[in-house]
Structures are given as structure tokens and as C-alpha cells.
């Protein structure tokens, strides 16, 4: 007897075995916050609770946590050898030391900077930058400047600081900080005018202009701002000297756990000979190496972080780490929860909040090729001012063949269908050698498919029974060779392409194949010109009742010509009929010999 | 603020949401114990961001999404990986689970046949009671994508469960609107 799904799910839902205590949840939340900011090294720090900010009492790792905190995923935090009385703090991807006499104050994103009256103070915004309104921030900042003669330190993750607050139009100067590349600048007198203070006096007149120094260290996602007196220069330099990336000088992992850096993706079976400090990852069917000196992490969905699948890729998180790995699928989105507004936005509004990546080093995003939306592969959402993509066929050192697409100097992508791998290098010009080194490490765990010649001269017209689509399959069709079939390892039935050369045949096949999808046989048969051929690509679906395939058909320009799609990609709906076959079509100039550069039909199994 | 320093609105949300979170996440991960842990963790994260979360159309939907993401991105690779994966496998032992056995096991097995995004869509729509538009806001995707996920999920579920739930993908706007309204009224 059929039943309502809602009722069924309600009837069979799990019931909690315990009653939740909101106070305990809140308490755990606060402990979690403190643990993230503190660490064992902070035990004994003088505690000061001011307003709604939190000081650190010292935390027993894991105490009272519901489950492991995300911080537990991080590489072991190094314990610094600090001067007597200093404490270790963590902001961004760095740890550093500060004098113990500094009052340590956490600053929440929703709160304006508190206004101290006297004394040393270190404001730490470990997750985000305060998002007080301009007026509030100006008033509070003015308060800080006017009310203190003691040094103030403000620290936040660099990527959390809005570009407007960084003053990118000001002159930044290179500054080596240990082994890290940093930059610094002094706030110009004009910049320091934050509006009148409570007495109606502009704070710039207080003469602090030349004593506000800004530092940014992109490699460890750290932004520091010092408001100092002249005698504190040594203190600033001493603090800077302690900046250490998380993940270096780390203590060993427990014996019962694999010593695996955070977010290395799936471990490859192939042992690669990688440079020191690199780690081996597996994405798609490829194994390759990526550097871990800055940071490598699997792309994680924290909270509402991804935009629509077909949305414009806005990689405003790429500056946080050097390599983003997405073994389970291409992350097309933007970080919604970290914009200054703090409220998740709809897609349309979201675009306006994308932060500009800090192009201070080359970033890599890797994902299985089969999961990358067409809009991303074809750079359809690139900025209107961006140069036209330039596509070239490439053969990598290991023999892999694919397509390289460059969009100006700031983006280079590699589509490697033989190993189902997609690589995006953002700002490759920063570290061109990094790109070459990563590409040189790419290997396939199995013998490569030779895509240069067709396996079978003509696979068309064989309407066999529908079979499981299996793993993502990609076909590259070349009319000059009639048809090209490329079977992705693991796929029991790859997509199948067929070239139709005359109108009569097309008419017959069109109606017979149910072109356009089994739910829509009413579309008119395309008119085939003498100088065109038609490509029909069929996809068989699972017969076991599940429907796991999606198809996308796209075209790119070639030799000055353009492939005409019979159906716009947007009309190609995903898998509609279990056990059925589905056909998409394109009209292609008949003399095309290198259609691999022209039409790409991808069947993707979405999981 | 309450006497213990918590926000009264959060307290109310916490108490009301927890059972529904466990129910929803239980369908996502197929394990009540894991669902309880995920639900608690989701509430902790909601508390940390309560000022913003409380302004959302569906804080519960947000919490379900957080819990699902945790199941996907965090727990899976950590301590609970094997436990969750075992539960997500259709042929996994289920005898230790709820005593209402047959029906619950069938639902669990059917849900396990869905991809995680599909499972999440089903839960948001049919357990939390969000419309496609609302679920889309929670997930950060277009309503059409929610409908597509739901459509595919229902296709799988129909093959495994005797349900008569109308499909909503591929329908006209009027049907979609009506379906959304039905979901809204039902909750």
C-alpha cells in the first residue's frame, strides 16, 4: 500500500536518547572558541574578561567537546621557544608569541573593536575580521588611538580582512619574516583620519600617524597591525620574529594514526618521488604531488560555503592555502559565510561579495574532470574584462595528453581526460616553476588510454541493451575518423558517438533514437547542410531502477569556426529515464579533423 | 540573555530543534548515535554564529546542512568514518538498530542508495519541510537544482519503497508552486 514519504520518514526517524541542554551547548561553544584561540601554552595567562570578549583560561585539549573540533584536523601546532613570560597564540595559519603582559582579547566578527583606556592589549580575531559599521569602527578605532600610549596589536587571518581595510592602494614593502615572505607598510597620515573622536577632534591630529604599522604574511594567512610608541619597535620586531607556520616543527603524530597532513585527499597507490615537503594525492584517476609548505587541504564544506553548481567560480578561498583538493567533486562556489556582511546571500547578491584573491602566490585547485561544470571548463563566467581563453593541446612529461586553457596571466587550467583530472592554477605567474613541478608528477595508476587513434572505426548504429553507465566516461569525437570511442576505466558502457552524414539518415536516426531525450521527441530534426555532419552522442542508463547519469554537451571554437549545438546545454536535462537511452546532437563542419578540440561530450556520474 | 549567559532565543531553538535534527540527520547518516553527535555539533556551531543563524529563514535547515557537511567532510575521514560508512552501505548489518525493524531498515537501505546531496535534499524537503526555494537558499543552490536532486532521489526511493509521493522535477511552474505550498502547509 503506497504511503506518503513524509509520513514514512517521520515514522522511521531516529529519536534522541538524551535531552539536549542549551546551557551545555553554549558552554561547549565557548570552550571550543577558547580552545581554538588558545592551546596548552596559554595556561596561566592572566585572565581578563572585558565586555563580551573572551580571554583564555587555558584549555585541556578535548575537554568537553561534543566531537572532535576542526582544529584537531590541523597539523600539530608547533610549540615555540619564547622569551620568559611570553605566550603563544594562533591566528590564521601561524603561531606566534606575544608578551604575557598584553591583555589578550578575542574580537568577534560581529563586534566593534573594544575601546581600551590604557595598557597593552592584543586583539585577536582568529576567524574573521570585525565587521562593525564604518562609523562604529571609526569611533572605536579613534578611541583606541586616542586612549592609549601603550602598544596595541591587532591580528586577524589575512583572508578575512576586507580589501578595503588592507589599503591595497598604499605602498607595501617586501619584508622577509624568517623564511616567509611578508609585506609591511606604515599608515600614511591621510589614512589615519578615522573621523572625529568623542571630543570632535580628528584622531589623525594626535600624531599617531607614523606609528601604525601593518604587516601581512600571506603564506600563513596572517594580518597584523601595530599601534606603537617609538620605543616599541623592538617589541614589534620581536613578535614578528616568532611567526611560525602551523605544520612546521610539528610534533609527531601518534603511532596509531597515520602521519598524514591535513587534506591530502585520497592517498595514491603509486609511490611518487616527490620533492621534500610535498605530499602525494590522488584526484580522479591521477596521482600527483603538491607542496605542503603553505598548506594543502581537501576542499571542505563547512557551512553554506558553496554556490550553485553552475554559478560563477569565485575562488576567494584560494589564497588561504596553496592547494585545494576536491576528490569528490569540483567546488564551484564561494564562501558565503565569510563575507563582511555575515549573512548568507542569494546567488545574485553573492557575486558582489566575492573577495579578490590575494595573488601573492600560485594556488591550485584540483578535482575530477568529470565533475567540473561546463561553465567552469569553458570559462563562461570569467570577468568581462578578462582576456579570451586560449586553448592548446598539451602533452605532459608523463605522456598524458590534454587541453591547456590560459586566461591571461592569472589562470591556467589543464583538462586531462585520460586520468579524469582537472587542474586550475590561479596566478601561475607568481610561481611558474610550481606549475611545471606539479604537472611533472602526474601519473596514472594504470596504463594510459591512447586517445590518438580510434579503438574502433565505427561504433555507430549498435543499439545494444542499456547498461550501467558506470564511472564517468568521456568521449572525444572526430568526424574525420567517423567516430571515436574512449572508454574510461571502470565504465562498463562508455558514451557512444555517431556521425550522421546525410539528412535522410539523420531523419531516420533522429526519430528512432528519441533524440533530445526520451521525454522530448518533438523537437524538429536539424537541417544538415552539405558541409556539415551531425554528431549524435548516446548515453545508456542503468537498468536497475537507478538513474545515475548526467550528460553535458558543449562546444568550443576551433580554427575560426564554431560547432552548432542542436540543443543548448541548458536544454539538456539530466538523466530522466532509468533504463533508457538518451541522445544529444551537434552539427559539425564536415571537414573537421580534430574534433577532440571541438566537441566534448561528458557523461558524469554524480554522487 | 538567560541566567546562565545563554541567549533565550537560542535556548528555545536548541530544545525545539534537537529532536528534529536527530531525526533529519538520522536519515542522512543512517545511525542514531552519529546523528545525535552531529546534531549536538550543529547546535554548537549554531550557537557560535547565532546572531547570524537566527536571522535565517530556516535555522533548522541551516543546522541540518551543517550536520550533513560534517558527516561528509569531517567525520567521514575521522573517527566515525568506518561507522558511518558501514551504515551507509545498503547491506550493512542493521539488527542493532531500532526495534521497528522492517520498515525502518527498508527506509534506511533506500536512503543509503541515494547520494549524500540527494539524501540531504530529501531530508530538507520531506523531514524539515522546506520548499525547493527554501532548501535552495539553505544549500546555496538554485531551486531547480533542489528539484532535480529530489527528482532523482524519489526515482530511487520509489524503486525501493512503496511511496506515492508526487514528483516535482520536470513539472510546470504551477505544479512546482503547488507542491511547494503543499510542503509548507504540511509543516
Amino acid at each position: 500500500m503506497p504511503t506518503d514519504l513524509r509520513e514514512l520518514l517521520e515514522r522511521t526517524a531516529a529519536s534522541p536518547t538524551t535531552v539536549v541542554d542549551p546551557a551545555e551547548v553554549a558552554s561547549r561553544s565557548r570552550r571550543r572558541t577558547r580552545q581554538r584561540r588558545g592551546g596548552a601554552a596559554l595556561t596561566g595567562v592572566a585572565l581578563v574578561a572585558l565586555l563580551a570578549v573572551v580571554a583564555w583560561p587555558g584549555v585541556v585539549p578535548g575537554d568537553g567537546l561534543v566531537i572532535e573540533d576542526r582544529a584537531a584536523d590541523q597539523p600539530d601546532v608547533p610549540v615555540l621557544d619564547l622569551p620568559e613570560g611570553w605566550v603563544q597564540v594562533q591566528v590564521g595559519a601561524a603561531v606566534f608569541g606575544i608578551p604575557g603582559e598584553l591583555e589578550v582579547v578575542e574580537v568577534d566578527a560581529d563586534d566593534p573593536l573594544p575601546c581600551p583606556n590604557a595598557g597593552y592589549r592584543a586583539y585577536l580575531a582568529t576567524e574573521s575580521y570585525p565587521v562593525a559599521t564604518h562609523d562604529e569602527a571609526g569611533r572605536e578605532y579613534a578611541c583606541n588611538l586616542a586612549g592609549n600610549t601603550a602598544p596595541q596589536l591587532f591580528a586577524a587571518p589575512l583572508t578575512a580582512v576586507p580589501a578595503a581595510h588592507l589599503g591595497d592602494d598604499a605602498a607595501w614593502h617586501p619584508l622577509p619574516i624568517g623564511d616567509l615572505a611578508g609585506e609591511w607598510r606604515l599608515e600614511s597620515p591621510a589614512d589615519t583620519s578615522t573621523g572625529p573622536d568623542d571630543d570632535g577632534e580628528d584622531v589623525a591630529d594626535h600624531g599617531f600617524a607614523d606609528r601604525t604599522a601593518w604587516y601581512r604574511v600571506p603564506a600563513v594567512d596572517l594580518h597584523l597591525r601595530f599601534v606603537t610608541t617609538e620605543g616599541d619597535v623592538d617589541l614589534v620586531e620581536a613578535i614578528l620574529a616568532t611567526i611560525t607556520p602551523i605544520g612546521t616543527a610539528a610534533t609527531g603524530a601518534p603511532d596509531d594514526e597515520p602521519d598524514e597532513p591535513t587534506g591530502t585527499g585520497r592517498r595514491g597507490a603509486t609511490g611518487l618521488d616527490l620533492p621534500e615537503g610535498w605530499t602525494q594525492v590522488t584526484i580522479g584517476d591521477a596521482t600527483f604531488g603538491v607542496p605542503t609548505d603553505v598548506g594543502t587541504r581537501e576542499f571542505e564544506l563547512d557551512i553554506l560555503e558553496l554556490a550553485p553548481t553552475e554559478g560563477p567560480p569565485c575562488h576567494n578561498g584560494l589564497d588561504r592555502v596553496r592547494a585545494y583538493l576536491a576528490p569528490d567533486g569540483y567546488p564551484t562556489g564561494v564562501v558565503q559565510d565569510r563575507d563582511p556582511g555575515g549573512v548568507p546571500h542569494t546567488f545574485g547578491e553573492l557575486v558582489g561579495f566575492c573577495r579578490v584573491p590575494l595573488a601573492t602566490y600560485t594556488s591550485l585547485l584540483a578535482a575530477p574532470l568529470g565533475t567540473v561544470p561546463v561553465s567552469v571548463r569553458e570559462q563562461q563566467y570569467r570577468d568581462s574584462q578578462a582576456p579570451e581563453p586560449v586553448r592548446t593541446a598539451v602533452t605532459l612529461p608523463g605522456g598524458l595528453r590534454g587541453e591547456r586553457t590560459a586566461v591571461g596571466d592569472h589562470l591556467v587550467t589543464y583538462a586531462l581526460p585520460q586520468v579524469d583530472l582537472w587542474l586550475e592554477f590561479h596566478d601561475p605567474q607568481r610561481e611558474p616553476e610550481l606549475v611545471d613541478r606539479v604537472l611533472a608528477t602526474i601519473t596514472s595508476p594504470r596504463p594510459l588510454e591512447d586517445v590518438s587513434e580510434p579503438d574502433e572505426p565505427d561504433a555507430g548504429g549498435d543499439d545494444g541493451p542499456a547498461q550501467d553507465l558506470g564511472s564517468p566516461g568521456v568521449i572525444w569525437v572526430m568526424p574525420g575518423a567517423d567516430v571515436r570511442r574512449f572508454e574510461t576505466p571502470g565504465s562498463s558502457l562508455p558514451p557512444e558517438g555517431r556521425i550522421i552524414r546525410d539528412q535522410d539518415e539523420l531523419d531516420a536516426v533522429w526519430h528512432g533514437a528519441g533524440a533530445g531525450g526520451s521525454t522530448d521527441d518533438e523537437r524538429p530534426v536539424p537541417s544538415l547542410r552539405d558541409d556539415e555532419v551531425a554528431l549524435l552522442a548516446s548515453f545508456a542508463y542503468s537498468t536497475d531502477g537507478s538513474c545515475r547519469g548526467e550528460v553535458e554537451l558543449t562546444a568550443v571554437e576551433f580554427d575560426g569556426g564554431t560547432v552548432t549545438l542542436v540543443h543548448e546545454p541548458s536544454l539538456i536535462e539530466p538523466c530522466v529515464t532509468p533504463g533508457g537511452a538518451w541522445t544529444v546532437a551537434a552539427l559539425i563542419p564536415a571537414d573537421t579533423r580534430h574534433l577532440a578540440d571541438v566537441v566534448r561530450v561528458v557523461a558524469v556520474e554524480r554522487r | 540573555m538567560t541566567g546562565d549567559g545563554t541567549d533565550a532565543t537560542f535556548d528555545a531553538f536548541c530544545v525545539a530543534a534537537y529532536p528534529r535534527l536527530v531525526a533529519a540527520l538520522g536519515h542522512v547518516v543512517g545511525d542514531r548515535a552519529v546523528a545525535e553527535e552531529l546534531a549536538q555539533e550543529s547546535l554548537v556551531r549554531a550557537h557560535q554564529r547565532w546572531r547570524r543563524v537566527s536571522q535565517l529563514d530556516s535555522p533548522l535547515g541551516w543546522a541540518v546542512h551543517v550536520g550533513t557537511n560534517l558527516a561528509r567532510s569531517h567525520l567521514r575521514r575521522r573517527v566515525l568514518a568506518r561507522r558511518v560508512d558501514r551504515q551507509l552501505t545498503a547491506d550493512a548489518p542493521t539488527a542493532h538498530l531500532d526495534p521497528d525493524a522492517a520498515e525502518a531498515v527498508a527506509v534506511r537501505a533506500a536512503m543509503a542508495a541515494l547520494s549524500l546531496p540527494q539524501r540531504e535534499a530529501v531530508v530538507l524537503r520531506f523531514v524539515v519541510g522546506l520548499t525547493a526555494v527554501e532548501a535552495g537558499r539553505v544549500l546555496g543552490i538554485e531551486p531547480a537544482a533542489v528539484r532535480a536532486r529530489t527528482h532523482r532521489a524519489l526515482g530511487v526511493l520509489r524503486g525501493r519503497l512503496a511511496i506515492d509521493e508526487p514528483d516535482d522535477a520536470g513539472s510546470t511552474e504551477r505544479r512546482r508552486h503547488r507542491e511547494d505550498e503543499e510542503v509548507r502547509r504540511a509543516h
Side-chain angles (χ1 to χ4, degrees):
Chain A
M1 174 102 179
T3 185
D4 182 275
L5 178 59
R6 294 181 193 85
E7 294 175 359
L8 181 61
L9 292 175
E10 183 176 354
R11 205 162 50 232
T12 58
S15 299
T17 56
T18 58
V19 177
V20 68
D21 179 359
E24 176 61 16
V25 170
S27 173
R28 287 169 174 170
S29 167
R30 296 192 189 97
R31 284 203 299 270
R32 180 78 52 81
T33 301
R34 289 195 293 270
Q35 186 193 31
R36 280 182 169 174
R37 285 142 181 78
L42 289 175
T43 302
V45 174
L47 309 181
V48 178
L50 180 66
L51 301 177
V53 297
V54 180
W56 297 331
V59 176
V60 178
D63 175 35
L65 297 180
V66 180
I67 59 173
E68 291 175 285
D69 184 72
R70 181 179 295 275
D73 266 353
Q74 298 178 352
D76 291 335
V77 175
V79 177
L80 304 180
D81 182 17
L82 298 174
E84 182 74 21
W86 283 43
V87 295
Q88 178 174 323
V89 297
Q90 176 182 334
V91 176
V95 290
F96 56 97
I98 54 178
E101 62 265 30
L102 261 68
E103 177 186 334
V104 179
V105 177
E106 175 194 344
V107 183
D108 286 336
D110 295 330
D111 295 328
L113 291 177
C115 181
N117 293 318
Y120 297 82
R121 181 156 290 174
Y123 301 98
L124 304 180
T126 55
E127 286 187 327
S128 56
Y129 192 87
V131 293
T133 65
H134 175 76
D135 288 344
E136 289 173 336
R139 182 171 62 252
E140 297 295 344
Y141 188 38
C143 178
N144 289 341
L145 287 173
N148 282 276
T149 55
Q152 306 287 324
L153 162 66
F154 184 91
L158 179 56
T159 49
V161 182
H165 290 241
L166 286 174
D168 276 335
D169 54 341
W172 288 84
H173 309 284
L175 177 69
I177 299 175
D179 296 330
L180 303 171
E183 293 179 298
W184 76 287
R185 72 178 177 92
L186 283 175
E187 195 166 71
S188 67
D191 292 338
T192 61
S193 178
T194 55
D197 60 14
D198 293 341
D199 297 327
E201 188 176 6
D202 194 303
V203 294
D205 295 335
H206 285 276
F208 289 89
D210 59 348
R211 296 174 188 141
T212 301
W214 305 65
Y215 298 85
R216 58 187 185 190
V217 192
V220 290
D221 191 25
L222 182 62
H223 165 72
L224 299 173
R225 188 179 72 212
F226 291 98
V227 181
T228 70
T229 58
E230 289 182 357
D232 295 319
V233 174
D234 291 342
L235 172 64
V236 173
E237 292 183 350
I239 291 174
L240 293 176
T242 66
I243 296 174
T244 305
I246 294 174
T248 61
T251 56
D255 292 340
D256 58 348
E257 291 186 10
D259 186 12
E260 182 177 5
T262 297
T264 54
R266 290 170 288 163
R267 286 286 187 168
T270 307
L272 300 180
D273 183 16
L274 299 174
E276 186 174 352
W278 284 44
T279 189
Q280 178 177 321
V281 298
T282 297
I283 303 289
D285 294 328
T287 299
F288 58 101
V290 292
T292 53
D293 53 336
V294 172
T296 299
R297 77 176 174 98
E298 204 166 303
F299 195 93
E300 295 178 349
L301 306 180
D302 187 2
I303 45 172
L304 300 175
E305 286 192 342
L306 293 187
T309 304
E310 292 295 330
C314 177
H315 305 289
N316 48 345
L318 283 175
D319 49 344
R320 298 177 64 87
V321 291
R322 189 190 296 273
Y324 267 58
L325 307 175
D328 293 332
Y330 182 85
T332 61
V334 300
V335 178
Q336 287 185 302
D337 195 50
R338 294 174 185 167
D339 67 80
V343 177
H345 299 277
T346 63
F347 168 71
E349 296 168 318
L350 192 59
V351 178
F353 285 93
C354 296
R355 290 195 300 270
V356 177
L358 299 177
T360 49
Y361 55 81
T362 300
S363 299
L364 163 66
L365 191 153
L369 175 61
T371 69
V372 181
V374 171
S375 57
V376 173
R377 290 199 303 267
E378 305 300 341
Q379 304 300 326
Q380 293 175 4
Y381 291 106
R382 69 185 185 280
D383 188 283
S384 59
Q385 304 299 316
E388 285 295 315
V390 177
R391 296 179 173 83
T392 53
V394 295
T395 301
L396 301 185
L400 286 170
R401 298 175 185 178
E403 182 180 73
R404 176 184 187 274
T405 301
V407 182
D409 294 333
H410 300 291
L411 176 64
V412 171
T413 67
Y414 289 85
L416 304 169
Q418 288 167 290
V419 288
D420 188 29
L421 179 62
W422 170 263
L423 300 174
E424 284 181 10
F425 291 97
H426 292 252
D427 296 299
Q429 80 282 3
R430 295 281 179 175
E431 300 173 278
E433 72 285 355
L434 173 67
V435 178
D436 294 338
R437 291 172 75 185
V438 170
L439 294 177
T441 66
I442 300 174
T443 60
S444 171
R446 54 182 68 87
L448 296 177
E449 295 279 345
D450 181 3
V451 298
S452 61
E453 297 295 335
D455 295 334
E456 299 176 22
D458 186 0
D462 181 11
D463 295 330
Q467 300 178 37
D468 192 338
L469 184 61
S471 301
V474 179
I475 60 170
W476 303 77
V477 186
M478 289 182 276
D482 275 350
V483 90
R484 172 78 186 94
R485 222 165 85 164
F486 171 64
E487 185 170 353
T488 300
S491 174
S492 59
L493 181 66
E496 189 172 89
R498 183 173 182 182
I499 298 298
I500 308 297
R501 297 187 178 281
D502 62 65
Q503 189 69 51
D504 290 342
E505 183 182 5
L506 181 59
D507 290 344
V509 173
W510 188 262
H511 294 299
S518 58
T519 61
D520 185 359
D521 292 335
E522 299 176 356
R523 296 175 187 176
V525 181
S527 297
L528 199 59
R529 299 200 311 254
D530 291 341
D531 60 348
E532 289 179 330
V533 297
L535 161 67
L536 298 182
S538 299
F539 302 84
Y541 291 137
S542 169
T543 56
D544 65 358
S546 65
C547 181
R548 302 188 301 173
E550 290 183 351
V551 291
E552 296 169 326
L553 174 63
T554 186
V556 297
E557 292 184 355
F558 71 103
D559 296 336
T562 303
V563 168
T564 302
L565 293 181
V566 176
H567 299 151
E568 292 297 323
S570 60
L571 296 178
I572 300 174
E573 296 187 5
C575 188
V576 288
T577 306
W582 201 56
T583 301
V584 293
L587 304 183
I588 304 160
D591 57 355
T592 301
R593 288 283 170 180
H594 302 286
L595 206 59
D597 292 333
V598 178
V599 173
R600 187 165 44 198
V601 182
V602 183
V604 182
E605 182 185 35
R606 306 282 188 191
R607 287 190 179 277
Chain B
M1 301 285 278
T2 58
D4 56 8
T6 60
D7 186 308
T9 62
F10 176 78
D11 291 0
F13 169 76
C14 196
V15 171
Y18 183 61
R20 298 186 68 190
L21 264 176
V22 172
L25 294 171
H27 282 305
V28 171
V29 300
D31 184 306
R32 180 170 59 193
V34 174
E36 286 186 279
E37 292 178 343
L38 292 174
Q40 292 178 51
E41 176 65 11
S42 299
L43 290 174
V44 168
R45 300 203 176 196
H47 179 269
Q48 291 176 323
R49 301 163 175 85
W50 183 241
R51 194 173 304 184
R52 280 174 272 168
V53 173
S54 61
Q55 302 301 313
L56 300 178
D57 291 338
S58 175
L60 178 62
W62 182 91
V64 169
H65 189 45
V66 169
T68 305
N69 284 339
L70 287 169
R72 168 168 42 202
S73 65
H74 185 68
L75 298 178
R76 184 180 55 193
R77 294 196 309 277
R78 305 296 296 178
V79 178
L80 297 177
R82 286 186 295 274
R83 192 171 171 188
V84 173
D85 286 345
R86 188 169 61 245
Q87 293 305 320
L88 296 182
T89 304
D91 56 357
T94 54
H96 65 288
L97 294 169
D98 297 340
D100 52 347
E103 191 173 51
V105 169
V107 170
R108 193 156 44 242
M111 293 291 284
L114 305 178
S115 68
L116 196 54
Q118 290 171 351
R119 237 175 291 158
E120 186 174 27
V122 167
V123 164
L124 286 175
R125 303 212 58 200
F126 297 103
V127 178
V128 180
L130 302 184
T131 66
V133 173
E134 292 166 340
R137 287 199 195 107
V138 168
L139 298 172
I141 62 177
E142 296 290 342
V146 176
R147 291 191 176 95
R149 288 182 187 178
T150 309
H151 165 76
R152 282 173 240 160
L154 292 177
V156 175
L157 295 179
R158 280 197 202 94
R160 296 169 178 265
L161 302 169
I163 57 173
D164 56 3
E165 195 59 39
D167 194 358
D168 63 350
S171 58
T172 64
E173 282 303 315
R174 183 179 301 175
R175 282 183 55 198
R176 290 171 179 170
H177 179 73
R178 187 172 65 237
E179 194 272 342
D180 282 348
E181 287 302 312
E182 288 173 354
V183 171
R184 200 192 312 274
R185 281 198 302 272
H187 293 267

